[in-house]
Amino acid sequence: MQISYLGIVLLMVVSPVPPEVFIPLAGFMAAQGKLHLVYVVLCAVAGFLVSILPWYIAGRALGKRGWHELIEQKTGRQKIGFLAISPAKLQKVNRWFRRYGGQALLVSMMLPGLRNMMAVPAGISGMPPLTFLLYTSLGGAVWLSVLTCAGYLLGDRYELISAYFGSGTTLFLLIVGIVALSIWGIRLYLRRKATL
């Protein structure tokens, strides 16, 4: 499988598959000399920002008043049309954002599903667009750099591993490892933050 810089941006914007799946592949291609490591990260961050901005804009357009009206209209697990999430889940994300602010944005960039939802309360809270872009760019750049470097460092071993397990198993194990490390790191961070 080959991937280009434009392909990375497009996958980040429209793919239902999380970047934890295809960004390590782009890092592996950088190790082979087919792509440049820095350009891979820059394209991934650009695509990420394009994909998350509509969520932030939706939160800004909704505002606090619209937020409360929307919550009153929907209950339980009903999905909120354009957000495709339940009010209960959105309230949880909103509470987490109110408690941790920009730090919540940084941490959420490493969690599939949560990264887009966290943009909604950032918009609702009236966080300035440049501040939002700074936090999301920083968090996204760190996480996407880790994923890219993981693929890069696997280098020739990427093919060796896939020869033993098959590409699907390799990808699954890589994703499970990355997710497990991310969850562990986030829990550790939140525990330390809570004890301060």
Side-chain angles (χ1 to χ4, degrees):
M1 182 176 173
Q2 296 281 341
I3 195 168
S4 67
Y5 297 121
L6 179 60
I8 292 168
V9 173
L10 292 175
L11 281 170
M12 290 298 295
V13 174
V14 298
S15 177
V17 178
E20 289 81 1
V21 175
F22 56 85
I23 294 299
L25 174 63
F28 170 64
M29 290 178 62
Q32 293 179 323
K34 296 177 181 174
L35 297 172
H36 191 280
L37 192 68
V38 173
Y39 295 153
V40 168
V41 174
L42 290 175
C43 289
V45 170
F48 172 68
L49 291 175
V50 170
S51 73
I52 202 168
L53 274 173
W55 292 82
Y56 171 78
I57 292 168
R60 289 288 290 220
L62 195 58
K64 289 182 183 176
R65 185 173 186 198
W67 159 257
H68 291 295
E69 290 174 8
L70 191 61
I71 296 302
E72 288 173 10
Q73 291 173 1
K74 304 280 185 174
T75 58
R77 299 177 73 62
Q78 285 181 307
K79 302 290 183 197
I80 298 172
F82 68 96
L83 296 177
I85 57 175
S86 69
K89 198 175 265 188
L90 192 53
Q91 282 181 314
K92 260 184 172 176
V93 170
N94 193 37
R95 279 193 303 272
W96 200 52
F97 179 80
R98 281 192 320 238
R99 185 172 180 190
Y100 297 107
Q103 294 172 353
L105 280 174
L106 285 173
V107 172
S108 70
M109 296 305 111
M110 298 174 220
L111 301 171
L114 187 59
R115 63 179 69 110
N116 288 345
M117 278 194 287
M118 191 56 70
V120 176
I124 289 170
S125 74
M127 177 180 268
L130 289 177
T131 304
F132 173 76
L133 287 173
L134 177 70
Y135 278 116
T136 53
S137 296
L138 182 60
V142 168
W143 182 237
L144 293 166
S145 293
V146 167
L147 293 175
T148 304
C149 288
Y152 187 89
L153 293 174
L154 278 173
D156 294 334
R157 285 164 264 167
Y158 197 90
E159 288 178 353
L160 178 65
I161 293 169
S162 72
Y164 283 106
F165 295 107
S167 61
T169 306
T170 303
L171 197 54
F172 175 75
L173 292 173
L174 182 64
I175 292 168
V176 167
I178 290 170
V179 169
L181 283 172
S182 300
I183 290 171
W184 174 78
I186 290 166
R187 283 186 175 175
L188 182 65
Y189 171 80
L190 292 176
R191 280 186 202 147
R192 287 185 180 170
K193 181 83 175 163
T195 58
L196 295 178

